Amino acid sequence: MSKQTYSVCFCCRRRFKLALAEAPPEIKTLFHTYSDNELMTTSQLQRFLVEIQKQEKATIEDAQAIIDSLKHFHRKGLNLETFFNYLFSDNNLPLIPSLGVHHDMTLPLSHYFIYTGHNSYLTGNQLSSDCSDVPIIHALKRGVRVIELDIWPNASKDNVDVLHGRTLTTPVELIRCLRAIKEHAFVTSEYPVVITLEDHLTPDLQAKVAEMVTQTFGDILFSPSTESMKEFPSPESLKKRIIISTKPPKEYLEAKEIKEKGDDSQNGKASGDDEAWGKDVPSMKRGTTADVKDTIVDEDLNDEEDTDESDKSHHNEAPEYRHLIAIHAGKPKGGIHECLKVDPDKVRRLSLSEAQLEKAAITLGKEIVRFTQKNILRVYPKGTRITSSNYNPLVGWMHGAQMVAFNMQGYGRSLWLMHGMFKANGGCGYVKKPDFLLKTGPNNEVFDPKAKLSVKTTLKVTVYMGEGWYYDFKHTHFDQYSPPDFYTRVGIAGVPDDTVMKRTKAIEDNWLPTWNEVFEFPLTVPELALLRIEVHEYDMSEKDDFGGQTVLPVWELRSGIRAVPLYSQKGEKYNSVKLLMHFEFY
């Protein structure tokens, strides 16, 4: 097709509206089944909602509200065109917007997956980007509930900066970050915000931090009545509260003690495992025996858990700083076995790198699950992720890890999974862990992440069609001289046996692609399954172009024919791009 002909083809936008000719045959058949004389009445629409959409509680009033929402049309019912438009509308989403927070929020914090950021102050890569309060604000607005701040003495040693230590990142003042957290903490969610501090301060500067924190947050700062808690409080009891988590104070260790090793380690090769959208999420089938050598040799030395509790010297500590700490962190002496021991009288937080967790999971999977039933486990990216890429979060979640810490300033498939997980439970940043991760059997047994499980349910997905690219993209974005050739990838991110990706055929030269393809996904652990959806534009000579993505928590997915909005690589919702899909469980 010539460029001139192509331009003429798009002069009239009406061609790209949802037209009856584009409606999949199944949609037309359903309309005729639930209508008379080309009109679907209120009672027939209600029956469609109950029988096809599996909305068992749908009432005549609900059906009438749908009809009323489609303005300028017949109040007595829907014709095929308006029915088709309804199916593609925001009134027919795969997750129920009005559901809101519906999990039991009165259990201890250790019973929840918590939306967790890593190096939350960085604007870009881990080595040379600016430190700022802006990414903190963006994270809080997205619903992130755990903000990490690395605190260091400023250049003159008389105040406190936030920066990624021993790198070229430019610092930002701590007070600026604290004020940003106070202002934006509860804009999206009223559930508690945890600030994890990676502390590199002298006792006098720790005292200064204590003063800043108490003056900034005042009454909303949660201070426990005792230094150690037998059980964590609940998210419900901590609504609109700020919680500090770090190791108890120790004498300040000059950075030069590990500067040499730190400088050498920063020359490691960046993993770039999800640069843009190109490479897929690392598979646990291949990755559970990951070689720890490609992490920074001494990366733990730069983590807040770096010093054994028994070695800490407290005679110069700032008591007011210690009093701030509600969630105590620390690695006991004796290796990973000691770290995972459960103290019946005290709860705590433990941090492991992604590689440490993968290594421990090979032989200690059940011990990790047992630890996380009462205590909090934080998993953080390995030090070679210079580009702010991320890892497979399912490794942490299937072992009960509450704080799977991600670089929210990056983007890519791993981060899309994180966005998808925390669409659950009203997007409040807390998702109750499945019961099997919380229960102990009669013989003190716990869930075994390595156990071979039977299929609990099967998710059947029909990919009908897509629309909206014509309005949200430049008309030459995908191809200079012809309409795009879209295909859809659909699959599951979950435990290893459930994880799979499939794809449709590419539909050539069409802004309104219709695939009508069916996929089935047997699920052994649907409670941890995330439905992955991506659209790409096939390019024979170059890398395929990106056309949108979303990730949906399977356990909250609505059955029936649904309009699925797609998002950009950075997780921003497109104005118009949607897929029409059918979800069935059996």
Side-chain angles (χ1 to χ4, degrees):
M1 182 181 289
S2 70
K3 185 173 182 180
Q4 181 179 6
T5 308
Y6 179 64
S7 300
V8 171
C9 284
F10 294 106
C11 67
C12 181
R13 287 194 169 216
R14 286 177 297 178
R15 173 177 171 180
F16 300 98
K17 286 185 178 180
L18 286 175
L20 293 184
E22 304 289 346
E26 184 179 335
I27 302 300
K28 294 178 181 178
T29 300
L30 281 170
F31 176 79
H32 292 305
T33 302
Y34 289 89
S35 67
D36 290 312
N37 300 318
E38 301 300 321
L39 189 71
M40 183 183 287
T41 65
T42 306
S43 61
Q44 288 168 326
L45 175 57
Q46 188 244 352
R47 193 160 61 92
F48 169 80
L49 295 175
V50 171
E51 295 176 4
I52 302 300
Q53 304 295 75
K54 306 303 180 185
Q55 297 171 223
E56 290 83 0
K57 297 181 180 179
T59 64
I60 290 290
E61 290 73 23
D62 295 330
Q64 187 61 56
I66 290 170
I67 293 171
D68 292 342
S69 71
L70 298 165
K71 297 176 182 178
H72 311 301
F73 295 108
H74 204 299
R75 276 184 54 82
K76 290 184 179 179
L78 305 176
N79 61 22
L80 178 53
E81 183 178 359
T82 52
F83 175 66
F84 191 31
N85 277 281
Y86 158 65
L87 291 178
F88 250 117
S89 75
D90 288 339
N91 289 327
N92 187 39
L93 299 175
L95 305 179
I96 307 175
S98 60
L99 194 57
V101 177
H102 56 281
H103 293 180
D104 182 356
M105 303 300 283
T106 63
L107 304 170
L109 287 175
S110 55
H111 288 223
Y112 301 85
F113 298 127
I114 310 173
Y115 208 172
T116 302
H118 174 257
N119 289 351
S120 305
Y121 49 86
L122 287 179
T123 56
N125 71 65
Q126 303 286 309
L127 281 182
S128 60
S129 65
D130 291 335
C131 302
S132 169
D133 58 342
V134 172
I136 295 171
I137 294 168
H138 287 165
L140 291 168
K141 286 183 175 179
R142 186 176 278 279
V144 172
R145 298 290 85 191
V146 182
I147 299 295
E148 184 189 27
L149 303 177
D150 294 10
I151 49 178
W152 294 79
N154 67 354
S156 55
K157 311 290 185 186
D158 61 356
N159 211 328
V160 181
D161 279 342
V162 173
L163 76 155
H164 195 201
R166 295 178 292 279
T167 67
L168 301 176
T169 56
T170 56
V172 59
E173 290 183 341
L174 172 63
I175 188 63
R176 185 170 169 182
C177 297
L178 297 178
R179 287 171 178 164
I181 292 170
K182 182 182 180 182
E183 183 177 352
H184 299 278
F186 308 111
V187 169
T188 299
S189 169
E190 60 184 353
Y191 289 96
V193 168
V194 180
I195 303 175
T196 58
L197 297 175
E198 185 177 308
D199 171 10
H200 304 271
L201 302 177
T202 55
D204 59 320
L205 287 179
Q206 288 175 343
K208 192 157 192 168
V209 169
E211 184 180 1
M212 280 187 213
V213 168
T214 52
Q215 287 185 358
T216 302
F217 297 118
D219 292 341
I220 67 171
L221 182 68
F222 173 70
S223 298
S225 53
T226 58
E227 184 170 310
S228 61
M229 293 182 285
K230 195 168 184 176
E231 185 178 71
F232 289 115
S234 70
E236 188 67 29
S237 69
L238 294 169
K239 274 184 176 178
K240 297 196 173 179
R241 304 296 293 273
I242 301 291
I243 305 166
I244 303 297
S245 178
T246 186
K247 63 185 180 300
K250 66 178 185 300
E251 284 192 5
Y252 179 63
L253 301 174
E254 288 292 340
K256 66 183 180 183
E257 292 179 23
I258 53 175
K259 180 169 177 29
E260 233 177 77
K261 292 177 181 176
D263 287 346
D264 289 343
S265 70
Q266 298 294 1
N267 292 324
K269 184 180 177 182
S271 73
D273 78 333
D274 53 3
E275 178 186 354
W277 53 269
K279 194 168 180 180
D280 217 329
V281 178
S283 168
M284 285 180 282
K285 292 176 182 175
R286 301 189 310 269
T288 51
T289 56
D291 185 358
V292 184
K293 291 178 182 176
D294 65 353
T295 65
I296 290 180
V297 175
D298 288 310
E299 65 181 305
D300 279 342
L301 294 176
N302 198 23
D303 182 64
E304 72 270 31
E305 315 293 334
D306 62 295
T307 301
D308 295 336
E309 293 239 21
S310 58
D311 289 342
K312 286 174 184 161
S313 176
H314 300 307
H315 63 275
N316 285 330
E317 72 179 35
E320 57 271 55
Y321 181 78
R322 173 178 281 269
H323 183 66
L324 292 178
I325 305 170
I327 300 177
H328 284 234
K331 278 194 177 90
K333 255 186 173 180
I336 189 67
H337 285 84
E338 287 299 315
C339 288
L340 294 174
K341 281 189 176 177
V342 177
D343 187 333
D345 299 315
K346 183 171 68 173
V347 291
R348 59 191 170 90
R349 174 170 70 82
L350 171 69
S351 278
L352 297 175
S353 73
E354 54 171 297
Q356 289 171 328
L357 174 66
E358 288 178 353
K359 184 179 179 183
I362 296 171
T363 56
L364 299 171
K366 288 188 284 188
E367 285 78 0
I368 298 170
V369 171
R370 193 182 307 280
F371 178 84
T372 58
Q373 288 183 338
K374 183 177 181 181
N375 300 282
I376 289 176
L377 175 61
R378 171 180 167 267
V379 185
Y380 59 93
K382 61 188 179 183
T384 48
R385 295 192 179 277
I386 307 300
T387 60
S388 294
S389 64
N390 289 296
Y391 49 100
N392 188 340
L394 271 304
V395 182
W397 290 332
M398 66 186 285
H399 287 87
Q402 297 86 350
M403 296 183 178
V404 176
F406 261 36
N407 294 309
M408 298 294 171
Q409 69 276 29
Y411 59 94
R413 285 186 169 120
S414 293
L415 188 55
W416 301 345
L417 298 185
M418 183 67 63
H419 293 165
M421 164 64 87
F422 289 100
K423 287 174 184 170
N425 200 26
C428 75
Y430 287 81
V431 173
K432 182 182 169 294
K433 295 200 287 188
D435 288 342
F436 65 79
L437 286 171
L438 301 171
K439 287 181 177 177
T440 302
N443 298 315
N444 204 31
E445 67 268 20
V446 297
F447 173 71
D448 181 0
K450 285 185 172 297
K452 192 76 176 175
L453 302 172
S454 57
V455 172
K456 282 187 181 179
T457 188
T458 295
L459 172 62
K460 180 180 176 183
V461 176
T462 305
V463 185
Y464 286 129
M465 62 177 297
E467 67 109 8
W469 292 279
Y470 181 82
Y471 301 106
D472 289 352
F473 289 80
K474 291 181 179 178
H475 301 159
T476 55
H477 177 86
F478 297 107
D479 282 306
Q480 189 72 29
Y481 302 119
S482 63
D485 308 323
F486 289 123
Y487 65 90
T488 296
R489 299 181 75 231
V490 59
I492 297 292
V495 299
D497 284 347
D498 295 349
T499 300
V500 66
M501 284 300 286
K502 303 178 181 181
R503 59 162 285 178
T504 69
K505 60 183 176 293
I507 302 298
E508 294 184 3
D509 298 338
N510 203 323
W511 285 95
L512 286 172
T514 298
W515 296 283
N516 288 329
E517 293 192 42
V518 180
F519 304 95
E520 293 190 352
F521 302 103
L523 302 174
T524 62
V525 186
E527 301 92 338
L528 290 177
L530 298 166
L531 179 64
R532 295 177 54 193
I533 301 164
E534 300 176 11
V535 175
H536 300 286
E537 198 271 337
Y538 176 73
D539 194 315
M540 186 180 298
S541 58
E542 298 178 3
K543 181 179 176 180
D544 291 355
D545 291 314
F546 176 83
Q549 60 83 23
T550 193
V551 174
L552 301 168
V554 166
W555 60 94
E556 290 199 5
L557 195 63
R558 292 207 285 177
S559 296
I561 301 167
R562 302 295 173 186
V564 180
L566 297 188
Y567 295 75
S568 72
Q569 292 163 299
K570 294 188 177 181
E572 296 161 354
K573 186 171 174 288
Y574 292 127
N575 292 325
S576 307
V577 179
K578 292 177 183 173
L579 297 181
L580 190 66
M581 307 180 74
H582 193 176
F583 306 119
E584 301 171 84
F585 291 92
Y586 64 88

